[in-house]
Amino acid sequence: MKKLSFLLFALIGLTGLNSCTEDDSFTFVAKPDPAGLAFTSATADNYDLKASNGASLAERFVWNPVDFDVQTPVNYQLAGSADMTFDYSDPIFGGEVTNAGVTVSEMLSLAADAGLDNDPETEAPNTGTINFQVRAYVGGDGGNVVEQFSDVITVNVTLPEAEDEEPELPKIYVTGSFPEDSGYAANWSPENGIPLAAEMGNTNYEGFIYMNVDQPMYKFLPTNEGWDGNYGDAGAADGDYTEVLAAPGVNAGTPDGTGGYYLVKADPEALTYSLTKTSWGIIGNATPTGWDSDTDMTYDAENKIWTLTLDLTAQVAPDNGIKFRANDAWDLNIGDSGADGTMEFGGDNIGVPEDGNYTITLDLSNPRMYTYTLTKN
């Protein structure tokens, strides 16, 4: 890849050093950059793309920041392709951060472009490859554009045969006065409801929701198709928080009437619900403060993840490593039992493969399908 430097050639008027004309211009001159733009996160050996998990995160790609030697923000785009032709007019992601999540549905769309099919009655293959690339650029909007492109990552994908797909977890949905200010879609919109998921055969729905407004109000919906059968609080006035559901009930509130990042639980059969405000960090003997205190993470509302960059030391799980926990206490903690990438409340410690500076993410946006990344910088 190339690192681009600017050489400014000013046209100096004969009348003095302070004069200039409309013909002044600058030229971009490319110089080698041994680092360049590159993906820094590892990918899985294979991605099993089940349509029932379409809204779930399939992968979070991470790449290094690029320095164009200019005092302007660098923009990044992540694009996918079935045939190595990347359309950056319609990327999967665009923004100034150096990571982006790709959902199962987005990978399935690329798999369809690649001619893959999970119908056992067709001759189309159900396994194949799709590709991803990152673009970094400055400029635009009619001006000069300077850009870099990463090498292409090619990943293997499998579409399980239709009859082999696992059933989707049952869900209910939450909408209210907070989504627009919290990184979601429109307020009071059933079709854009935020899902809570239950275990198969149960009504113990849960999920994490960011409510970034003063005095949030909301309702629970049995589907994201309309208001029929909605549940609210059993109290007398909007904003009440009694932890008792009623149909339809008043608009529910939060425990202290304030916004925040909440673990939301609801059981429409038992007519109960609860909200627990959380702020997340990591703890463990791989961190500078050991098991004595947490290192706080920061919530990224645009990408719906908690993030932290920190020096870690190599530790072997399950006896050592790190864990995620909320509110500087052990009441609510998440680990990875079996080191299989599946996170569980109260799970095992997460190992660190080697000493180094890491970017750590915690993604709680998919109910009951919580994930994390540990990427060495």
Side-chain angles (χ1 to χ4, degrees):
M1 304 306 294
K2 304 259 186 196
K3 179 175 181 181
L4 303 174
S5 302
F6 301 128
L7 297 180
L8 178 63
F9 296 95
L11 300 178
I12 304 174
L14 296 176
T15 56
L17 294 176
N18 292 326
S19 65
C20 63
T21 74
E22 293 182 354
D23 294 327
D24 290 355
S25 62
F26 61 90
T27 303
F28 300 115
V29 179
K31 293 186 178 181
D33 180 353
L37 176 63
F39 289 99
T40 59
S41 58
T43 57
D45 293 334
N46 186 75
Y47 296 87
D48 292 321
L49 305 180
K50 299 175 182 177
S52 59
N53 296 332
S56 300
L57 183 74
E59 182 60 83
R60 180 166 297 280
F61 291 99
V62 183
W63 54 90
N64 63 293
V66 174
D67 182 6
F68 284 110
D69 291 334
V70 291
Q71 298 300 314
T72 186
V74 177
N75 293 291
Y76 300 95
Q77 294 176 317
L78 175 70
S81 172
D83 59 2
M84 295 290 192
T85 57
F86 298 94
D87 181 6
Y88 283 100
S89 67
D90 185 26
I92 295 173
F93 164 82
E96 297 177 11
V97 298
T98 56
N99 67 85
V102 177
T103 66
V104 171
S105 288
E106 288 167 330
M107 281 200 179
L108 280 170
S109 178
L110 293 171
D113 292 342
L116 306 186
D117 192 350
N118 68 345
D119 186 346
E121 296 183 0
T122 71
E123 296 183 359
N126 73 323
T127 61
T129 60
I130 55 179
N131 312 286
F132 295 92
Q133 186 184 57
V134 175
R135 174 191 182 223
Y137 70 96
V138 293
D141 295 331
N144 292 287
V145 177
V146 187
E147 60 188 6
Q148 288 190 18
F149 296 89
S150 74
D151 289 338
V152 174
I153 282 185
T154 299
V155 300
N156 300 312
V157 295
T158 299
L159 282 63
E161 292 188 0
E163 62 265 27
D164 294 335
E165 288 198 12
E166 296 178 4
E168 185 177 0
L169 291 176
K171 291 183 174 65
I172 61 173
Y173 299 85
V174 178
T175 187
S177 65
F178 63 89
E180 289 180 3
D181 292 314
S182 307
Y184 302 104
N187 291 347
W188 300 109
S189 170
E191 60 269 27
N192 295 305
I194 302 157
L196 308 178
E199 297 167 332
M200 294 301 298
N202 291 283
T203 57
N204 55 343
Y205 296 92
E206 73 169 41
F208 287 87
I209 299 178
Y210 186 42
M211 300 183 180
N212 187 34
V213 296
D214 294 332
Q215 297 181 322
M217 290 190 230
Y218 54 92
K219 283 206 165 182
F220 300 92
L221 309 175
T223 75
N224 60 353
E225 298 178 356
W227 289 97
D228 291 348
N230 72 84
Y231 291 88
D233 190 271
D238 286 342
D240 279 354
Y241 176 78
T242 66
E243 298 190 333
V244 179
L245 292 176
V250 300
N251 296 324
T254 59
D256 61 0
T258 66
Y261 190 87
Y262 286 95
L263 170 59
V264 182
K265 296 183 178 182
D267 189 333
E269 185 173 303
L271 294 178
T272 61
Y273 77 102
S274 66
L275 272 68
T276 303
K277 186 180 290 189
T278 65
S279 181
W280 288 86
I282 68 166
I283 192 170
N285 59 352
T287 74
T289 56
W291 294 106
D292 294 327
S293 63
D294 294 59
T295 304
D296 293 338
M297 305 184 79
T298 300
Y299 184 63
D300 177 353
E302 180 179 359
N303 291 290
K304 300 178 179 61
I305 57 173
W306 291 86
T307 66
L308 172 66
T309 298
L310 188 68
D311 290 334
L312 300 177
T313 59
Q315 298 291 344
V316 178
D319 295 330
N320 303 284
I322 65 170
K323 290 195 81 173
F324 298 94
R325 70 175 192 171
N327 307 331
D328 299 312
W330 287 107
D331 296 343
L332 195 59
N333 71 88
I334 302 179
D336 182 5
S337 296
D340 59 0
T342 302
M343 302 191 73
E344 302 87 13
F345 288 108
D348 289 343
N349 299 327
I350 298 165
V352 177
E354 58 185 41
D355 294 355
N357 182 260
Y358 286 83
T359 296
I360 307 158
T361 71
L362 174 64
D363 189 338
L364 303 174
S365 64
N366 296 321
R368 294 190 179 272
M369 299 184 70
Y370 311 126
T371 60
Y372 70 97
T373 64
L374 201 63
T375 305
K376 190 175 181 182
N377 297 316

